[in-house]
Amino acid sequence: MPETKEYAKMKDIYGSLVFDRKEMKQRLPKDVYEMLTAAIEGRQKLDSGIADTVALAMKDWAVSKGADHWAHWFHPLSETTAEKHAAFLTADENGNPLNSFRGKDLMQSEPDASSFPSGGTRSTFEARGYSAWDPTSPAFVIRSKKGGTLCIPSVFLAYDGSPLDLKTYLLRAMEAAESRAMKMLKLFGNRGVRYVHATVGGEQEFFLLDRPRAQKRPDIRFCGRTLVGSPPPRDQKMEDHYFGAIPARVLSYMEDVQRDLARLGVDVATRHNEVARCQFEFAPKFTEANLACDQNQLIMETMRKMAREHDLRLLFHEKPFKDMNGSGKHINFSLEDSEGRNLLKPSTNHRKNVIFLSFLASFILGVSKHFGLLQASVSTPGNMYRLGGNEAPPYIISVYLGETVAGMIRAIEEGGGSDVASPDKNTLNLGLPKLPDIVAFDSDRNRTSPIAFTGNKFEFRAPGASQAMATPVMAILSIWASGLEEFINLFEKRINNGEDPVDAAIETIRKVSKMSRSIRFEGDSYTDKWHKEAEKRGLVKANTIPQGIDLFMEPSTVKMLGEMGVFSKKELEAFHTIKIENFVKNIEIEISVLRDMVWEGILPAISKQLLLEFSSCEIAEKMGAAGIDSWKKVLLHLAESKTKLIDLTHELSELHEKMGKMTAREHADEIVNRAVPLMNEIRRVADAAEGYFSKDNMPYPNYRDLLSLSA
Ligand code: ADP
Ligand code: MG
């Protein structure tokens, strides 16, 4: 097929703004390049002696790409990204202009930490923190209209060394999982493996709206979601009719996003199979976990910037619209060794398949013990409205394997060794080369499960679209590390007793699979039946988001994260505090915006509509029109809606005031137990009134206007 012009262009620009290995190799002396790549691959600690050389090469490269500033780029605990720009340009001793960027600038920087949340790990008088270069994620240039900034991926720490960012915890969890995975491979006798990396691919869902229309709504502007309004009835059916094709302006937006991301070395494919109208998805090609999390931040930033240029309003909120599909961020993950082998890939080779099953069983074992951490990692304000709805996974963690792999595990549990039954063919010998290729089974996908094995990777579907990936990925990898640790202990004992590794592994898989049965569920996770069953199995530890956040502090989780070297108890306490505070802050904003919208828009609209209807109804009555009663009912309904809304918003304001005096944790519970139900009731009454508004009296663009993307 002849390449299209666009495609050729994409290929030319791909990675052009990344200081990648190719650039490093070209611009660095051989020995420096070797030392740097060894550090990147985790084979050796970074030698600070090479910093000046790397900095010089990086600066020259960045300047050639139009950069005039540099910044350490990091992920504060508030889940966004931050950077503090400094100019390359300085003056030398004679006052002549000079582009300068030294090794110590590259290695470390000192942004003011006072404006970032710390959860109490840092005393208020100690405002300083420092960011330190993370060489495992490549530097890149973000271009602006007049110049550009060299961004250096970094960790961000307080002066006492406690992390003030998400990346540090992620890197620790990666180290925990990767080192244990290496050990596992060594026990199987794989001596040649140099490293194992976690791989991650995050699918990003989002909504796009017409910006001028969307910005007329305070809820969209300040909360990224609608607080009142609902789709017209039977909307589902209208959807195909009106919204079948992607509007041209969205396509052009997507192309621009993809092009800018390609320059940054992010390879994204678009998906147009949106479930809801105005909803879309970007899926980047998976890569090493740390880079994947950085790339997801870049994707979100690029999308935000580009949306403004296209006069679009981009929503990452987990539940922007009532009664419509919400947005998630499915996190696909696996482990890959230095030979490029995916360790979650089933194989027709007996030994390789046993290795695959060992990694799989270790993960399931970890989840069966520490599922609370996974739940905690997705306990965000936005997910409160999304999870457990009928289009998103439930707020209960379970693992789905699919018939083929579940069948293998079952067969091993029932005593099978080399001869393991398969559901398709009565007996299927894992050791026989004639085994059908089990990688390509796509049919038995279960879309209702929060964690599903999808052929050669797991997919965690509970994370919300607006979340940074670092926290759920940290949870996944810590849990996998702890499962590997336990597996390895049993496995190693057997090997030390002289057992053949493959036999020893099968015995260990049998044992740990029996131990972790309760977390496996192959059925429909949306049903009430499963909720009851999960309760019986002890899988329901939290029913609300604050309770879910509390699971970070479950004693078994604190212990595990300590043992895995990911969080100290003190760090976890701070993390927990930030999550609770963030939850409260988020919903607090919603409460005040909702109150304002009712008073500024909806109540006056009801009065206007009442006046309009009342005077015409009076005339009609004087004329002796028949059936006037139904008209009067509408009037009465509007009047009663108004008084109800007045009372309910008063109640909400009082509650708001009362909550302000509580501790953050009490406040969070009160939000769930009282404020959210009250907000729902306000919405119900407001939406019922909205149905009677004339177009002129509509205070805000309604769902129909909002969800139409034609120019
Ligand atoms: P699906 O149909 O299951 O969504 P895709 O092949 O479209 O599968 O992949 C979805 C996401 O999973 C993509 O971002 C992809 O790069 C990622 N992915 C695929 N294989 C792996 C892997 N081994 N490790 C991590 N992520 C992966
Ligand atoms: Mg998927």
Side-chain angles (χ1 to χ4, degrees), residues 203 271 281 330 332 445 447 454 457 459 461:
E203 302 165 55
R271 306 273 174 92
E281 179 185 311
H330 295 177
N332 298 267
R445 287 246 173 139
R447 296 259 159 228
T454 52
K457 63 186 184 317
E459 180 171 344
R461 302 195 180 109

Side-chain angles (χ1 to χ4, degrees), residues 20 22 31 45 58 63 77 140 147 216 291 300 319 350 375 380 387 495 520 534 562 670:
D20 55 16
K22 208 174 69 217
D31 56 330
K45 246 190 149 37
M58 216 186 249
V63 169
L77 294 163
F140 53 91
K216 284 195 187 123
L291 183 56
M300 292 172 78
K319 193 74 179 176
H350 181 48
Q375 195 171 356
T380 62
L387 293 180
I495 293 180
R520 278 160 25 213
E670 200 72 350

Side-chain angles (χ1 to χ4, degrees), residues 36-57:
L36 187 55
T37 45
I40 291 170
E41 287 171 7
R43 287 182 276 124
Q44 160 184 326
K45 246 190 149 37
L46 186 78
D47 180 346
S48 55
I50 65 171
D52 277 326
T53 316
V54 178
L56 186 65

Side-chain angles (χ1 to χ4, degrees), residues 199-203 271 283-286 332-334 342 445 454 456-457 459:
T199 53
V200 166
E203 302 165 55
R271 306 273 174 92
K285 178 153 180 14
F286 75 92
N332 298 267
F333 59 95
S334 185
N342 177 353
R445 287 246 173 139
T454 52
N456 58 2
K457 63 186 184 317
E459 180 171 344

Side-chain angles (χ1 to χ4, degrees), residues 123-136:
S123 38
T124 35
F125 60 83
E126 179 54 282
R128 290 179 309 165
Y130 65 91
S131 56
W133 178 35
D134 163 24
T136 59

Side-chain angles (χ1 to χ4, degrees), residues 45-262:
K45 246 190 149 37
L46 186 78
D47 180 346
S48 55
I50 65 171
D52 277 326
T53 316
V54 178
L56 186 65
M58 216 186 249
K59 182 204 72 191
D60 288 345
W61 168 81
V63 169
S64 81
K65 299 290 176 183
D68 43 20
H69 283 71
W70 58 271
H72 277 210
W73 185 77
F74 54 91
H75 312 280
L77 294 163
S78 53
E79 305 235 335
T80 48
T81 55
E83 56 213 60
K84 182 186 164 199
H85 296 190
F88 284 129
L89 197 66
T90 49
D92 67 11
E93 56 271 29
N94 301 321
N96 295 320
L98 173 83
N99 272 333
S100 149
F101 181 60
R102 297 151 305 176
K104 65 179 174 45
D105 297 329
L106 167 65
M107 298 289 284
Q108 194 167 322
S109 164
E110 295 191 21
D112 179 6
S114 59
S115 52
F116 300 110
S118 73
T121 50
R122 166 174 42 81
S123 38
T124 35
F125 60 83
E126 179 54 282
R128 290 179 309 165
Y130 65 91
S131 56
W133 178 35
D134 163 24
T136 59
S137 181
F140 53 91
V141 167
I142 294 285
R143 282 210 294 227
S144 56
K145 289 239 149 53
K146 291 185 178 148
T149 304
L150 166 67
C151 294
I152 300 149
S154 304
V155 294
F156 183 40
L157 306 160
Y159 257 78
D160 64 359
S162 49
L164 294 171
D165 72 343
L166 299 172
K167 191 191 268 248
T168 308
Y169 298 117
L170 170 69
L171 292 174
R172 289 178 182 170
M174 285 169 55
E175 169 60 27
E178 291 170 357
S179 58
R180 284 167 182 84
M182 272 290 274
K183 170 133 200 221
M184 176 88 109
L185 289 178
K186 291 248 158 77
L187 287 173
F188 273 105
N190 287 10
R191 305 256 162 247
V193 177
R194 286 173 295 134
Y195 57 83
V196 174
H197 279 167
T199 53
V200 166
E203 302 165 55
Q204 177 71 54
E205 289 181 330
F206 56 94
F207 279 84
L208 279 175
L209 307 176
D210 177 61
R211 189 173 185 88
R213 236 171 286 166
Q215 294 298 80
K216 284 195 187 123
R217 292 189 58 121
D219 48 2
I220 298 269
R221 262 174 62 202
F222 299 115
C223 312
R225 67 183 288 253
T226 61
L227 299 171
V228 288
S230 57
R234 283 188 296 118
D235 192 50
Q236 240 30 53
K237 284 199 188 117
M238 293 169 43
E239 227 163 80
D240 310 337
H241 182 66
Y242 289 108
F243 303 96
I246 296 198
R249 61 186 297 200
V250 173
L251 267 184
S252 124
Y253 164 78
M254 288 181 161
E255 281 162 11
D256 282 353
V257 169
Q258 279 171 305
R259 201 166 300 123
D260 271 9
L261 285 172

